[in-house]
């Protein structure tokens, strides 16, 4: 009797083994599992008959059935792993992302003109060997004024022009920086010359009309070395203006001016003409002021712990928003800071076209 029974088991095993191997997906495999070793599966039902067998029969059939069940379970697990691998590979093959395909431009929004101009400035000055430095928007009196050689009674220290923060106990009040010049101080204090940085960032002043907003953007420049002179300043800034306005015919003049932190100080004007709301630099008969500059005042160099007998250099500062208005023909500054997507859709730039000197800035 057990001989025929074990022969039956071999046939049963062969049948299930072929069913398992033939299961083409996880659902089919699970159906085979249920039919073979599930609660009411054939092998499980056979195991239930062990109780009714004679002890001799059981001695043969018990281990035979156990072995069969274990082998079937193993075969099912192995097939399951193989099917899961296949499913994963198929998903990976069908769900690939082609990263070389262009993005739908409407989905990614526009780069704000201020960001665009900041990128352009970084590209132009990086090409001349400048690195980008940053400082905090909330400054202390030392970095924003004192170290920059502002006398104690200078009008910029007035609440009329400057946003003062409430003072913490016993401290002088902090200010929202009124210019990016404090980054000059932070850089000279923390770095050894030679120094060549630009510092773009937000600045704050109490002002609000068509061309003034209480927060706007400046970019500062600073070069400190042993022999840097006014000729370097002039060459550097003329090259910058030509690159920024994308012209070879820059004509600039430097008008004497006053800043507490530079001596001599100048404002740089460039020759231009209007073309609609935008300006064309390099031709025309008008002059337009575009930045402030000068040789760093010896007192400023001294405030930073450097010896003005050994080191000298130049600095410049300009309004980024104003540069954007001039280059891209926007006559009102206020919409720069209003959440109007029609404005940004019209004046914004594609984030996919990175400013660079090889193929053009904008
Ligand atoms: N900090 C000046 C301003 O805000 C600009 C400037 C910077 C001028 C550096 C000279 C040198 O107007």
């Amino acid at each position: 009797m057990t001989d025929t029974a074990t022969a039956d088991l071999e046939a049963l095993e062969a049948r299930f083994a072929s069913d398992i191997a033939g299961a083409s997906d996880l659902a089919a495999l699970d159906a085979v599992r249920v039919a073979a070793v599930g609660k009411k599966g054939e092998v499980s039902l056979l195991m239930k008959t062990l109780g009714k067998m004679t002890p001799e029969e059981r001695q043969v059939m018990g281990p035979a059935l156990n072995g069969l069940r274990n082998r079937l379970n193993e075969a099912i697990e192995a097939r399951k792993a193989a099917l899961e691998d296949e499913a994963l590979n198929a998903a990976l093959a069908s769900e690939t992302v082609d990263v070389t395909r262009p993005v739908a431009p409407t989905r990614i929004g526009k780069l704000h003109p201020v960001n665009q101009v900041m990128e352009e400035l970084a590209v132009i000055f990086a090409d001349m060997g400048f690195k980008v430095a940053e400082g905090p928007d909330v400054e202390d009196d030392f970095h924003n004024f004192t170290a920059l050689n502002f006398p104690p009674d200078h009008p910029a220290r007035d609440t009329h022009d400057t946003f003062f923060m409430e003072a913490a106990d016993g401290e002088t009040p902090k200010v929202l920086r009124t210019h990016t010049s404090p980054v000059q101080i932070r850089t000279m204090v923390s770095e050894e010359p030679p120094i060549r940085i630009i510092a773009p960032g937000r600045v704050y002043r109490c002002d609000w009309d068509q061309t003034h907003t209480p927060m706007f953007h400046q970019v500062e420049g600073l070069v400190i070395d042993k022999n840097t002179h006014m000729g370097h300043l002039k060459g550097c800034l003329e090259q910058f203006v030509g690159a920024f306005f994308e012209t070879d015919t820059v004509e600039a003049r430097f008008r004497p001016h006053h800043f507490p932190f530079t001596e001599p100080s100048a404002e740089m004007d460039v020759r231009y003409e209007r073309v609609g709301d935008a300006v064309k630099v390099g031709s025309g008969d008008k002059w337009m002021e575009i930045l402030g500059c000068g040789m760093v005042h010896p007192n400023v160099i001294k405030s930073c712990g450097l010896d003005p007998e050994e080191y000298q250099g130049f600095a410049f500062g300009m309004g980024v928003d104003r540069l954007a208005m001039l280059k891209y023909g926007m006559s009102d500054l206020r919409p720069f800071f209003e959440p109007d997507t029609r404005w940004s859709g019209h004046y914004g730039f594609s984030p996919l076209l990175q400013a660079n000197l090889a193929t053009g800035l904008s």
Side-chain angles (χ1 to χ4, degrees):
M1 140 100 203
T2 47
D3 284 351
T4 42
T6 42
D8 286 349
L9 288 193
E10 276 168 25
L12 188 78
E13 180 164 4
R15 173 155 57 84
F16 280 130
S18 106
D19 287 353
I20 292 167
S24 58
D25 58 27
L26 290 169
L29 181 65
D30 202 53
V32 179
R33 183 190 63 78
V34 171
V37 294
K39 256 198 197 138
K40 291 185 179 150
E42 285 185 53
V43 178
S44 312
L45 293 179
L46 282 173
M47 291 185 98
K48 284 198 183 131
T49 65
L50 284 172
K52 292 184 199 134
M53 292 180 193
T54 64
E56 293 74 29
E57 282 171 338
R58 202 178 304 136
Q59 225 167 27
V60 179
M61 290 304 284
L65 281 169
N66 266 331
L68 170 62
R69 188 190 51 191
N70 292 343
R71 285 192 300 281
L72 288 177
N73 273 331
E74 277 167 23
I76 291 168
E77 280 310 309
R79 181 75 188 132
K80 187 170 172 209
L83 284 173
E84 279 170 352
D85 268 1
E86 270 174 37
L88 182 63
N89 287 337
L92 287 176
S94 70
E95 291 167 19
T96 50
V97 175
D98 180 358
V99 292
T100 63
R101 285 186 59 188
V103 181
T106 48
R107 292 273 190 85
I108 48 175
K110 290 287 188 83
L111 204 59
H112 194 285
V114 166
N115 291 99
Q116 169 72 18
V117 168
M118 294 239 197
E119 294 281 327
E120 294 178 18
L121 295 171
V123 164
I124 294 168
F125 282 106
D127 193 54
M128 293 194 241
F130 285 70
K131 69 174 185 178
V132 173
E134 282 180 318
D137 288 15
V138 177
E139 264 298 2
D140 51 35
D141 177 273
F142 175 77
H143 290 92
N144 196 76
F145 294 126
T146 303
L148 286 161
N149 200 36
F150 279 79
D153 55 353
H154 191 280
R157 290 175 180 262
D158 199 322
T159 50
H160 186 76
D161 294 300
T162 302
F163 292 109
F164 286 91
M165 317 285 283
E166 216 164 287
D169 272 348
E171 285 182 15
T172 45
K174 293 248 167 62
V175 301
L176 292 180
R177 66 176 176 188
T178 55
H179 49 180
T180 41
S181 303
V183 184
Q184 290 186 28
I185 305 301
R186 293 186 175 273
T187 307
M188 279 190 271
V189 164
S190 64
E191 287 179 27
E192 289 283 317
I195 290 170
R196 230 185 275 176
I197 56 132
I198 57 163
R202 295 193 171 108
V203 300
Y204 306 83
R205 287 181 205 173
C206 300
D207 236 339
W208 177 249
D209 62 33
Q210 193 178 339
T211 52
H212 296 89
T213 49
M215 187 281 291
F216 59 104
H217 302 83
Q218 280 190 340
V219 65
E220 190 82 10
L222 176 70
V223 175
I224 298 288
D225 207 341
K226 294 195 168 152
N227 302 307
T228 305
H229 54 68
M230 204 77 186
H232 295 129
L233 174 157
K234 200 165 168 268
C236 170
L237 292 177
E238 285 179 357
Q239 189 177 332
F240 153 70
V241 172
F244 181 73
F245 287 103
E246 303 176 48
T247 165
D248 293 330
T249 58
V250 180
E251 209 181 318
R253 67 181 187 194
F254 289 80
R255 255 183 310 103
H257 197 71
H258 172 79
F259 299 105
F261 35 88
T262 45
E263 180 57 36
S265 304
E267 277 186 334
M268 179 183 181
D269 299 341
V270 290
R271 187 187 282 286
Y272 81 106
E273 61 185 318
R274 283 253 161 221
V275 182
D277 276 333
V279 298
K280 185 159 179 282
V281 169
S283 55
D285 56 4
K286 297 209 191 82
W287 292 94
M288 168 179 68
E289 177 244 314
I290 61 160
L291 54 83
C293 57
M295 298 304 293
V296 180
H297 197 293
N299 286 351
V300 175
I301 294 185
K302 226 182 290 169
S303 312
C304 299
L306 296 175
D307 180 1
E309 296 294 329
E310 190 179 359
Y311 292 112
Q312 60 184 34
F314 64 85
F316 56 89
M318 59 196 134
V320 176
D321 317 77
R322 191 168 124 79
L323 286 178
M325 289 171 80
L326 293 172
K327 182 168 177 182
Y328 295 114
M330 295 167 280
S331 54
D332 191 343
L333 181 60
R334 288 167 295 194
F336 274 55
F337 309 111
E338 285 164 6
D340 187 342
T341 52
R342 288 167 306 174
W343 184 87
S344 46
H346 181 74
Y347 287 112
F349 292 81
S350 167
L352 298 172
L353 299 175
Q354 291 240 316
N356 71 83
L357 291 176
T359 61
L361 287 175
S362 55

